[in-house]
Amino acid sequence: MTQAREHTKVIAIKSLFWRFMEMFGRYGLQFLLQIIMARILAPSDYGAYTIAIAMVTVASSYIAGLPQALIQDEGATEKDWAVVMWFLLGVTTIVYIIFFVAADQIASFYNKLEIALYLQAIMLALYFAVYQEMQATRLIRKMQFKQLFTRSLVATIGSGLIGVCAALLGLGTWALILQYISSYIIGCVILFLRNPWFPKPRISWVTLKKYFRFSVKVFCSSLLKNNFDSIGDMILGRYLTSTQMGYIDRGRKFGQSASTIIDNPIQTVFFSLLSRINGAGENMLSTVRIVVSTYSCLVVPFFSILVLFSEQVIVFLFGSQWTEASFYFAIYCITYIPMALTTISFQAFNAMGRSGIPLVCGLSRLIIGLFAIGVAMHLNADAQTTVAFWCIWSALGTLVVMIPNALILKYKLNQQIHDFLLPCIFGGALIILPFKLENHFVSIVNPFITLGMVALGLLAFLLMCVITKQKSCSFLYGIMISKRGKNKNGDYRVG
């Protein structure tokens, strides 16, 4: 039992390492590309692209369900994989035809005629997204994250070069579209060269029925959770100008990149790990509590500092023409903090086969967000107020997951408050509030004084986590101790 537990730890640590490497590599490069592209293109170039990419993102939600169902089934055969892939390609063809025919009507609805051609072109990426998802799922199931790292690195660099060259040639929005499509094409080529897999066409209604129930719930929860911001863009795009949508897009994408670096490894690695635990019980609850606490104690101070210096960061990186995007960047950073609890809880429920719970929670969050944006529009609020309503209330809506956590995972409300909400309170009180001066965020007058205050804030945050006995402290301390060796029983001293 001890050897099996140690083996699972080693696999998880190695997988998490390569997954983090992939995220840091991909989003680190994408971060640099965002800076370069934003300095070449104008905010208005991002407006129509934001709406088009939102529709593609929502339309592609069906891709993830069946592959995740295959991960759950240890007895899945090559025939099952072939059936699922060709079924998804068939669905993709139907989706593409629908959007191709309806493109002109969609463009007229948004009063942006250029969207039609953008949409028809960018929807082609769905075919490559299906194959890439299937290949990536096979590698995730085998916990071979190193190959995913290679894929992401090469695809990001290649598509980035294409996008930058197109932007320098004056192609505007088309530079963004070419970058998006080429990233999928290059990713598919890399995966095929490393793992030559492309099954012959197969169809089996028995196989599809076998995975259909689980995949539909994952599809719906993915549609509501992962595409929440895209649904917001589709609504806001009807009322805001291309320039305003450009500011919103850059502010959100920058915050999203920071969030995804930490969020995606948690989703992929711990979903596989929790699937091996296969059940509720003490092991599941203990793992979830450690992940929630560690995640919160890392993410909260990180995002708090980003919110604090949002304007300075945006202007420094993208230039003064993007100053207005700093407000949206700060708002979305605040929104992504509660997503930590939701992400980890959803993975636990999916690993238990309770994929209907994320669906209900996602629907509740969407209803709250739509109500908030409706109220803002009824009051004729400006773009910033409308987005603030949408983000803040939808962020509060994510806390609905605390109820099924208590009922299904036996993760008591007082434990959730201790592991998650307390770090959030510490982050706000000890990092953001001391820097507020006359209702404005502090301006950087002396960078040395500012860095010193940030360091004191982080030290105070860490001290409060130790005083309240956050599980993350004992967990991280145990990891550091384990580096020096094992205890007398041969186990790593992870508390």
Side-chain angles (χ1 to χ4, degrees), residues 364-437:
S364 301
R365 182 191 177 211
L366 179 62
I367 292 173
I368 293 172
L370 291 177
F371 174 77
I373 203 172
V375 171
M377 289 182 174
H378 178 72
L379 297 174
N380 293 321
D382 58 16
Q384 292 188 350
T385 304
T386 302
V387 172
F389 264 65
W390 165 258
C391 291
I392 299 301
W393 280 102
S394 62
L396 294 176
T398 61
L399 299 180
V400 171
V401 77
M402 296 177 72
I403 298 174
N405 278 351
L407 296 176
I408 307 299
L409 295 177
K410 307 302 180 184
Y411 194 178
K412 298 178 182 178
L413 289 177
N414 63 316
Q415 293 175 329
Q416 295 181 67
I417 292 172
H418 176 271
D419 297 343
F420 178 71
L421 292 183
L422 277 183
C424 292
I425 295 172
F426 298 157
L430 298 176
I431 298 178
I432 295 178
L433 294 181
F435 289 97
K436 292 195 69 176
L437 180 63

Side-chain angles (χ1 to χ4, degrees), residues 324-351:
E324 191 173 333
S326 61
F327 173 84
Y328 303 108
F329 171 54
I331 287 294
Y332 278 105
C333 281
I334 295 173
T335 303
Y336 290 136
I337 292 176
M339 290 302 296
L341 182 63
T342 304
T343 297
I344 298 163
S345 300
F346 282 9
Q347 294 308 310
F349 292 134
N350 285 335

Side-chain angles (χ1 to χ4, degrees), residues 292-347:
V292 168
S293 180
T294 304
Y295 193 112
S296 301
C297 290
L298 292 175
V299 167
V300 171
F302 174 66
F303 275 119
S304 298
I305 293 174
L306 289 180
V307 170
L308 178 64
F309 299 109
S310 57
E311 183 174 345
Q312 290 85 352
V313 169
I314 292 294
V315 172
F316 174 75
L317 294 175
F318 299 140
S320 58
Q321 72 271 23
W322 289 95
T323 302
E324 191 173 333
S326 61
F327 173 84
Y328 303 108
F329 171 54
I331 287 294
Y332 278 105
C333 281
I334 295 173
T335 303
Y336 290 136
I337 292 176
M339 290 302 296
L341 182 63
T342 304
T343 297
I344 298 163
S345 300
F346 282 9
Q347 294 308 310

Side-chain angles (χ1 to χ4, degrees), residues 114-345:
E114 67 274 15
I115 289 180
L117 195 54
Y118 296 159
L119 199 57
Q120 291 170 343
I122 207 168
M123 279 288 176
L124 290 172
L126 290 178
Y127 287 99
F128 301 99
V130 167
Y131 180 76
Q132 184 169 269
E133 179 69 20
M134 293 300 298
Q135 278 274 42
T137 302
R138 289 168 66 88
L139 294 175
I140 289 172
R141 188 185 182 191
K142 299 174 183 177
M143 305 290 278
Q144 295 179 359
F145 293 98
K146 185 176 181 179
Q147 294 193 34
L148 293 177
F149 165 73
T150 304
R151 181 279 314 263
S152 297
L153 197 65
V154 176
T156 302
I157 294 175
S159 62
L161 291 174
I162 292 173
V164 171
C165 290
L168 291 173
L169 291 174
L171 295 183
T173 304
W174 280 106
L176 299 170
I177 294 174
L178 289 173
Q179 180 183 2
Y180 182 83
I181 297 175
S182 62
S183 67
Y184 281 104
I185 296 175
I186 297 172
C188 288
V189 171
I190 296 300
L191 288 174
F192 181 79
L193 293 176
R194 297 295 299 271
N195 299 276
W197 178 79
F198 196 87
K200 295 180 180 179
R202 301 287 295 271
I203 190 69
S204 171
W205 297 114
V206 175
T207 297
L208 294 175
K209 184 179 179 180
K210 178 181 178 182
Y211 300 115
F212 184 75
R213 185 177 180 181
F214 178 87
S215 65
V216 167
K217 292 179 180 178
V218 172
F219 157 71
C220 293
S221 61
S222 175
L223 178 66
L224 295 173
K225 176 181 179 290
N226 298 330
N227 300 307
F228 187 82
D229 292 330
S230 297
I231 295 173
D233 287 341
M234 292 167 60
I235 298 172
L236 294 172
R238 177 68 175 83
Y239 304 98
L240 303 181
T241 66
S242 293
T243 301
Q244 287 174 322
M245 290 302 299
Y247 288 134
I248 293 171
D249 177 71
R250 287 302 87 192
R252 184 187 67 251
K253 286 290 177 63
F254 189 29
Q256 200 173 53
S257 296
S259 174
T260 308
I261 288 175
I262 303 175
D263 191 63
N264 272 18
I266 296 294
Q267 291 194 48
T268 52
V269 173
F270 280 96
F271 178 62
S272 297
L273 185 61
L274 291 172
S275 294
R276 297 184 179 210
I277 295 175
N278 194 26
E282 291 299 322
N283 287 337
M284 176 72 79
L285 177 59
S286 177
T287 302
V288 169
R289 287 199 66 184
I290 290 174
V291 177
V292 168
S293 180
T294 304
Y295 193 112
S296 301
C297 290
L298 292 175
V299 167
V300 171
F302 174 66
F303 275 119
S304 298
I305 293 174
L306 289 180
V307 170
L308 178 64
F309 299 109
S310 57
E311 183 174 345
Q312 290 85 352
V313 169
I314 292 294
V315 172
F316 174 75
L317 294 175
F318 299 140
S320 58
Q321 72 271 23
W322 289 95
T323 302
E324 191 173 333
S326 61
F327 173 84
Y328 303 108
F329 171 54
I331 287 294
Y332 278 105
C333 281
I334 295 173
T335 303
Y336 290 136
I337 292 176
M339 290 302 296
L341 182 63
T342 304
T343 297
I344 298 163
S345 300

